[in-house]
Amino acid sequence: MVLHLVIALMLSSASTLTSPTFSIARPGCQDHCGNVSIPFPFGITEGCYLNEKFFINCTNSSTSVPQPLLQNSTINVTDISLEGQVHLMQYIASDCYNENGNLSYKYLPWMALSKRFTFNSTANKFIVVGCDAYGIVYGFGQNRSYLTGCVPSCDYKDDVIDGSCSGIGCCRSDIPPGAWNITVSLTSYSNHTDVWDFNPCSHAFVVEEKAFNFSADNLTNISSDLSLPVVADWTIEDGSCDVAQRNTASYACSIKNSHCYEPLKGLGYRCSCNQGYEGNPYLPDGCQDINECQDPTLCNCTKNSVCHNTLGNYTCPCLKGYHGDGRGGDGCSPDQINWSMIVSDFLKLTLLKRISEVNAEKDAEKDTEKDSLEKQITNCSIALTLPFVFLSLIVSNSRPKVKSIPVQ
């Protein structure tokens, strides 16, 4: 019951995520199948997906909600992300016995994906549940095969620890990267005869690790027809970014404001919007500028600053009276009075004023000296002229007077 609740909550949260504000599908194409978003390069109808590897078969089911299936398989899709993951549902392996140790039910599932899809080696784990079991997972990918597994055991149910999957009633193992085909094998050492009263069946599965939380009740309450979520990675094309960029006709990341990256070497490449942009990097004009100023989780402008959105970024100029880059806790600091500069400027002004005053005084002294010199010259001229005037008068008075005689 607990396991079913965990899975239900995960699927519910995945299907109720906030819808994106940008287009995810090609114009005129359906972008949902039931509760699952279908972004390009995936699509439901011809002309809406990039190629057959990204075909989603949107089918009616016993419920009123359509179910998306990967390509033409029976693999149910619960989520597709443009970051390169697709969540799928996979049936579990079961190995059950009756009280006499006779096999009552056995099912060994397998899942084969196309080579654009590989099982995520970090999000998924191989898990075996049981007290008399050993499980193996076989895989193939990147032109090689592998196998791994683990052996859980226990003699009493009381020995089992809820939440622990380290070998007592539950064990887990990593899966190698790059596998696109997996098969689970499961068997028992003693046909559960020594533990049948509390553990008649063992189970094994590859599962998204966070979707499974082991408890002692799982030794008896796991249904054999249970399906669990598994995470697969997808790439848009085979090859590296360098190789893909040489073929401009097929290069998928030629959209502006996007770039190419390789999630795992040898497994192809994906496209992503550049920093400061969001959207679908596989659609023309699919990467749109993010207005960080409208999202407090993206805008790092501090108080006393104003957020200004720019293409692919934003700035935080400080208000008048503050300085800094406007970001972080101390992005804008109050302007401080520079007393040394003020004193220096005051002294400069005082000195300039005094120099001006001294120059004015010198000019005044020069004018006074000039007036005095001109007065002295005038006086000197007068002094030099007076003797000649007096001499002229004396000469004039000393001349003899001549009496005029009339002519007869």
Side-chain angles (χ1 to χ4, degrees), residues 112-132:
L113 306 174
S114 73
K115 293 183 180 180
R116 285 283 190 279
F117 299 83
T118 55
F119 292 96
N120 188 296
S121 60
T122 56
N124 300 315
K125 298 295 179 184
F126 175 62
I127 293 178
V128 182
V129 175
C131 288
D132 180 18

Side-chain angles (χ1 to χ4, degrees), residues 7-326:
I7 297 170
L9 288 174
M10 287 190 62
L11 296 180
S12 175
S13 63
S15 62
T16 57
L17 294 175
T18 303
S19 298
T21 57
F22 50 83
S23 298
I24 61 172
R26 277 179 168 173
C29 293
Q30 186 177 343
D31 62 3
H32 278 77
C33 177
N35 296 325
V36 180
S37 298
I38 311 296
F40 184 80
F42 295 85
I44 298 171
T45 57
E46 188 174 355
C48 292
Y49 46 84
L50 181 64
N51 54 50
E52 292 293 332
K53 293 181 174 62
F54 298 99
F55 168 59
I56 296 295
N57 185 12
C58 190
T59 64
N60 294 323
S61 65
S62 57
T63 66
S64 59
V65 180
Q67 298 296 314
L69 303 178
L70 185 62
Q71 300 163 1
N72 290 310
S73 70
T74 58
I75 302 173
N76 186 257
V77 179
T78 61
D79 183 66
I80 301 173
S81 81
L82 288 169
E83 285 70 37
Q85 281 77 45
V86 56
H87 288 70
L88 311 171
M89 299 300 290
Q90 182 192 25
Y91 288 106
I92 67 173
S94 298
D95 186 41
C96 299
Y97 298 85
N98 60 26
E99 188 175 3
N100 298 322
N102 296 320
L103 184 67
S104 62
Y105 178 80
K106 193 178 188 74
Y107 179 69
L108 303 178
W110 58 274
M111 181 181 285
L113 306 174
S114 73
K115 293 183 180 180
R116 285 283 190 279
F117 299 83
T118 55
F119 292 96
N120 188 296
S121 60
T122 56
N124 300 315
K125 298 295 179 184
F126 175 62
I127 293 178
V128 182
V129 175
C131 288
D132 180 18
Y134 64 90
I136 297 174
V137 58
Y138 302 88
F140 181 82
Q142 293 186 294
N143 298 318
R144 65 181 179 86
S145 60
Y146 73 90
L147 67 85
T148 186
C150 63
V151 179
S153 65
C154 57
D155 294 326
Y156 304 97
K157 186 176 181 179
D158 292 342
D159 294 338
V160 178
I161 302 172
D162 288 347
S164 174
C165 193
S166 57
I168 302 177
C170 177
C171 66
R172 63 183 176 183
S173 177
D174 294 335
I175 62 172
W180 57 270
N181 185 322
I182 58 173
T183 301
V184 176
S185 176
L186 180 65
T187 190
S188 171
Y189 288 104
S190 303
N191 296 351
H192 286 252
T193 53
D194 297 330
V195 295
W196 184 85
D197 58 332
F198 66 90
N199 180 222
C201 296
S202 56
H203 306 281
F205 40 84
V206 175
V207 64
E208 184 179 10
E209 185 177 19
K210 66 180 182 181
F212 178 76
N213 186 25
F214 174 72
S215 72
D217 292 338
N218 296 148
L219 295 175
T220 56
N221 72 354
I222 293 182
S223 174
S224 297
D225 63 353
L226 177 67
S227 60
L228 295 174
V230 62
V231 181
D233 296 324
W234 61 268
T235 55
I236 190 68
E237 281 187 348
D238 292 332
S240 66
C241 290
D242 289 340
V243 173
Q245 288 169 356
R246 297 171 192 166
N247 188 348
T248 57
S250 63
Y251 181 50
C253 305
S254 59
I255 308 302
K256 65 179 181 180
N257 302 320
S258 69
H259 63 274
C260 176
Y261 72 100
E262 300 171 40
L264 289 172
K265 189 172 181 60
L267 296 180
Y269 72 92
R270 297 188 195 126
C271 305
S272 178
C273 292
N274 295 339
Q275 184 176 359
Y277 294 84
E278 64 178 355
N280 189 333
Y282 303 100
L283 292 174
D285 298 319
C287 293
Q288 301 294 320
D289 173 59
I290 299 173
N291 189 341
E292 293 87 353
C293 298
Q294 296 179 352
D295 189 342
T297 64
L298 298 177
C299 178
N300 193 31
C301 290
T302 187
K303 64 178 182 179
N304 301 317
S305 68
V306 179
C307 183
H308 287 170
N309 185 58
T310 61
L311 288 177
N313 208 337
Y314 67 100
T315 60
C316 306
C318 295
L319 298 176
K320 186 177 181 180
Y322 295 85
H323 65 277
D325 65 1

